[in-house]
Amino acid sequence: MKGSQWGLVGRRVCSSLWARLWTHVLTAGTMAVALFVFGALMLAQENLQNLLTEWGDQIQINAYLDKGLGTGEVSLLRDKIQSFPEVERVRHISREQAWKDFRGALGAHSNVLEGLPEDVLPASFEVFVKPAYRDGPIVEALANRLRKEKGLTTVEYPQEWVDRLSLVVLALHWAKWVLGGILFIAVFFIVRSTVALAILAQKDEIEVMQLVGATEELIQAPFVVEGLIQGFIGAGLSVLGLWFLVLFLRDQTLTPIALFGSLGQLQFIDWRGIALILAIGSLLGASGSVFSLRRFMKRWKG
Amino acid sequence: MIQLFHVSKIYPPNTAALKDINLQIAKGELVFLAGPSGAGKTTLLKLLFREEEPSRGQIIIHGKDVTKLNSRGVARLRQQIGLVFQEFKFLPHMTALDNVALAALVTGVPRQESYTKAYQLLRELGLREKYDAKPPALSGGEQQRVAIARALMNDPMVVLADEPTGNLDANLADETMRLFREIRQRGTTIIIASHDLDLSQRYGTRVISLQEGYLVDDLSPLKEGRAG
Ligand SMILES: Nc1ncnc2c1ncn2[C@@H]1O[C@H](COP(=O)(O)OP(=O)(O)OP(=O)(O)O)[C@@H](O)[C@H]1O
Ligand SMILES: [Mg+2]
């Protein structure tokens, strides 16, 4: 197409968008909601994945000490664990240290701890595993061995959680595409009918253009551009919504939503995620138009 | 050169509008299509710009078989054909000037050039003061002239006119015919469907008569061209 033809397309797009402004706003809004749901699941998936990667990198076992243990017993036990071949290093966290860490983690909110005795938290060993042994089954075997040691009440290791949460990540991944897919199909049909309205409203115009020799691309391009713009704006709105969601959640460190404690470090989706959302929106908009056009153009040719 | 070979048109389910038409029209001819209502005049014109396709036969325009064109080919064909049809509407929310310029804009002529040419054509057709009016505010005769201006925008090889003088008084009809002959001087082929036998005789051009879908007469008076 030549420059003047693009000018014609541009003017037709503007007048069509303006003539059915509210239909377009509603369609873009619906699109935004669908993509927001998709994006929110993506956000959850990515952040959980980050968390897991972080944990996985520092594979360590937390072994909590019996409260009755004396200092001598503690250091004996420590030496014993240190002698296991998989163990790189053992760090003793005293009850006082645990308390301090906890207060530190709460930061400004630490006043909620007032009145609690300072020894509510048990002392523990942080057992660091040698890099060569940082593998699910090996860590699990080591943890089981530690569980048999007298003087240790509970033995926890994040790998357990990593494994379980990996399933959640997988579930989120699928939910994102399944739920998203259903919503996208619905949005596709909505866009298609919005464009159908636009096409019907411009039936005379199309007819005149056909009779003066406009090519099919020239007649159809404005509708595709219209759908594209609609989709892009809808996607842009959803990204904006997600951004506000992240800001909101970062503020919620002490509400029940703060399950994993680290909402303050919640990451926004990266540029690839944003690009994906914008691409899906534009694609939905444009394809809704194309399918709508196919239907009408066929019918009008008789 | 326009050629029709054994062209028939049957509208579904079974209205035979044209029956085995054979016809040749040379470049630069001015031809009247005559015949009573329902004879098939409009149908014949519609076959020429591919609004309709023939049920049988071949239509060759400037060496191209128009029944075999794809959508791009149809668009290109129509860019070379000027149409003056009553039911070929204007866009009511656009001015006469916009409507005329549109014909060139869709073919990719720059905006400035399109508008200059559209204005010039409207001026030549005596619509200098009406170029800014919207079509519904124009009289029948004025609309007809806007239609002619639009038909001439792309310097067409062929002009097809269906009852172009139908809405016009005798003076304007004469004026329109004068215009068509002027266009013809540039080598444009002009085909006019009309009831008005008087008009065709007055201009002494070739008259092709249709009746109930048959080509019944094809007269090329010796006087041809004298009035032109
Ligand atoms: N779209 C159509 N579908 C079905 N039949 C049609 C269609 N268009 C025209 N016809 C029929 O084809 C025949 C020829 O019609 P056409 O319009 O070509 O006649 P015409 O010579 O132009 O008549 P008029 O002088 O009244 O304009 C008529 O019988 C008409 O009813
Ligand atoms: Mg007719």
Side-chain angles (χ1 to χ4, degrees):
Chain A
M1 272 199 276
K2 297 179 197 159
S4 61
Q5 287 169 313
W6 279 114
L8 194 63
V9 169
R11 282 191 299 280
R12 290 187 60 210
V13 169
C14 288
S15 73
S16 182
L17 284 177
W18 184 245
R20 280 164 295 282
L21 188 63
W22 285 108
T23 322
H24 284 106
V25 168
L26 280 176
T27 311
T30 317
M31 175 97 72
V33 171
L35 283 165
F36 180 82
V37 171
F38 177 79
L41 288 170
M42 177 153 76
L43 206 65
Q45 183 201 339
E46 279 185 8
N47 276 287
L48 203 53
Q49 184 65 60
N50 287 345
L51 200 66
L52 293 186
T53 316
E54 222 170 90
W55 282 358
D57 281 348
Q58 53 176 37
I59 285 199
Q60 75 184 32
I61 297 173
N62 283 315
Y64 294 96
L65 300 177
D66 200 326
K67 280 193 183 174
L69 240 46
T71 356
E73 284 163 312
V74 169
S75 99
L76 265 175
L77 192 52
R78 177 180 178 160
D79 291 346
K80 183 171 182 195
I81 296 173
Q82 183 74 68
S83 70
F84 288 166
E86 300 96 330
V87 175
E88 186 176 67
R89 177 162 69 86
V90 178
R91 189 170 151 233
H92 176 231
I93 312 272
S94 67
R95 271 186 257 180
E96 299 74 42
Q97 185 62 44
W99 178 256
K100 252 196 239 160
D101 288 351
F102 187 27
R103 274 177 68 117
L106 287 176
H109 301 291
S110 62
N111 52 348
V112 296
L113 298 179
E114 256 165 52
L116 280 178
E118 296 206 353
D119 59 356
V120 281
L121 296 173
S124 64
F125 286 145
E126 279 180 12
V127 180
F128 292 87
V129 180
K130 285 180 186 158
Y133 295 99
R134 286 180 193 171
D135 191 29
I138 298 175
V139 178
E140 193 180 343
L142 176 62
N144 285 337
R145 227 174 321 140
L146 290 176
R147 282 188 182 117
K148 289 189 196 117
E149 292 295 330
K150 275 205 189 109
L152 296 179
T153 52
T154 325
V155 176
E156 276 176 2
Y157 65 102
Q159 188 60 40
E160 228 167 23
W161 281 99
V162 170
D163 290 347
R164 273 183 222 161
L165 288 177
S166 293
L167 285 179
V168 177
V169 172
L170 197 66
L172 283 171
H173 176 75
W174 283 105
K176 179 180 77 178
W177 285 111
V178 171
L179 192 62
I182 293 169
L183 290 172
F184 294 158
I185 290 171
V187 167
F188 169 81
F189 283 106
I190 292 171
V191 174
R192 208 177 66 155
S193 15
T194 309
V195 176
L197 282 179
I199 295 175
L200 281 174
Q202 292 171 54
K203 192 169 188 278
D204 286 348
E205 202 153 345
I206 290 172
E207 205 181 310
V208 167
M209 297 210 11
Q210 279 173 335
L211 284 171
V212 292
T215 56
E216 247 167 60
E217 300 101 82
L218 182 61
I219 291 171
Q220 302 189 3
F223 299 105
V224 178
V225 173
E226 205 173 313
L228 207 77
I229 289 177
Q230 229 173 56
F232 193 81
I233 289 178
L237 285 177
S238 77
V239 170
L240 206 68
L242 288 169
W243 174 243
F244 282 116
L245 177 72
V246 166
L247 289 186
F248 170 78
L249 287 178
R250 278 182 189 161
D251 249 12
Q252 303 298 307
T253 33
L254 260 196
T255 60
I257 318 171
L259 267 183
F260 297 104
S262 54
L263 277 179
Q265 293 145 31
L266 201 64
Q267 295 279 318
F268 192 53
I269 38 177
D270 62 5
W271 65 269
R272 267 171 300 159
I274 294 176
L276 179 68
I277 289 180
L278 291 178
I280 291 177
S282 310
L283 196 76
L284 275 178
S287 63
S289 295
V290 169
F291 279 85
S292 206
L293 282 164
R294 277 230 293 229
R295 213 159 38 130
F296 281 104
M297 291 300 163
K298 228 180 261 166
R299 194 180 303 168
W300 287 345
K301 265 185 206 137
Chain B
M1 173 92 95
I2 297 171
Q3 294 162 298
L4 279 78
F5 298 109
H6 303 291
V7 170
S8 298
K9 173 67 189 178
I10 298 166
Y11 287 110
N14 54 7
T15 311
L18 290 174
K19 299 163 189 162
D20 196 37
I21 304 285
N22 288 287
L23 193 61
Q24 270 198 25
I25 298 172
K27 185 172 188 299
E29 263 194 283
L30 171 58
V31 178
F32 270 91
L33 268 185
S37 183
K41 305 183 292 295
T42 302
T43 302
L44 182 55
L45 294 182
K46 283 184 173 171
L47 291 179
L48 293 179
F49 66 95
R50 256 295 288 269
E51 170 85 352
E52 298 286 350
E53 288 183 67
S55 315
R56 231 167 294 128
Q58 237 186 346
I59 299 174
I60 314 279
I61 298 181
H62 294 266
K64 278 216 183 88
D65 187 342
V66 301
T67 55
K68 297 215 172 88
L69 296 174
N70 58 15
S71 81
R72 186 174 284 274
V74 171
R76 207 167 300 137
L77 172 75
R78 288 181 182 173
Q79 290 176 9
Q80 298 167 344
I81 295 183
L83 297 174
V84 186
F85 267 58
Q86 260 156 41
E87 67 266 42
F88 179 4
K89 294 166 225 104
F90 298 104
L91 297 178
H93 56 273
M94 299 199 326
T95 66
L97 186 69
D98 287 331
N99 270 286
V100 175
L102 182 70
L105 286 172
V106 301
T107 71
V109 176
R111 205 169 150 72
Q112 198 176 23
E113 197 181 322
S114 302
Y115 274 87
T116 314
K117 186 158 183 196
Y119 182 74
Q120 182 57 26
L121 275 169
L122 287 172
R123 217 172 73 158
E124 283 173 26
L125 288 162
L127 288 168
R128 201 170 36 157
E129 271 131 49
K130 299 284 184 173
Y131 74 91
D132 218 10
K134 308 233 160 116
L138 295 172
S139 75
E142 286 164 343
Q143 286 189 23
Q144 202 103 50
R145 280 179 282 161
V146 177
I148 292 172
R150 179 169 62 183
L152 297 180
M153 266 308 274
N154 292 325
D155 296 319
M157 303 185 307
V158 181
V159 170
L160 305 177
D162 199 3
E163 309 286 357
T165 55
N167 279 336
L168 308 181
D169 62 32
N171 274 341
L172 272 176
D174 268 344
E175 180 66 16
T176 307
M177 284 310 299
R178 192 185 58 74
L179 209 88
F180 278 134
R181 273 179 301 150
E182 227 176 84
I183 302 159
R184 190 193 167 194
Q185 303 297 320
R186 310 175 197 162
T188 305
T189 310
I190 298 169
I191 305 176
I192 301 168
S194 176
H195 289 113
D196 194 347
L197 270 180
D198 192 42
L199 202 69
S200 56
Q201 269 150 18
R202 196 139 36 102
Y203 290 97
T205 60
R206 178 177 172 191
V207 179
I208 295 167
S209 299
L210 296 176
Q211 206 149 24
E212 292 179 5
Y214 290 106
L215 197 160
V216 293
D217 238 340
D218 189 347
L219 293 175
S220 304
L222 291 172
K223 297 183 291 184
E224 212 227 305
R226 209 188 67 177

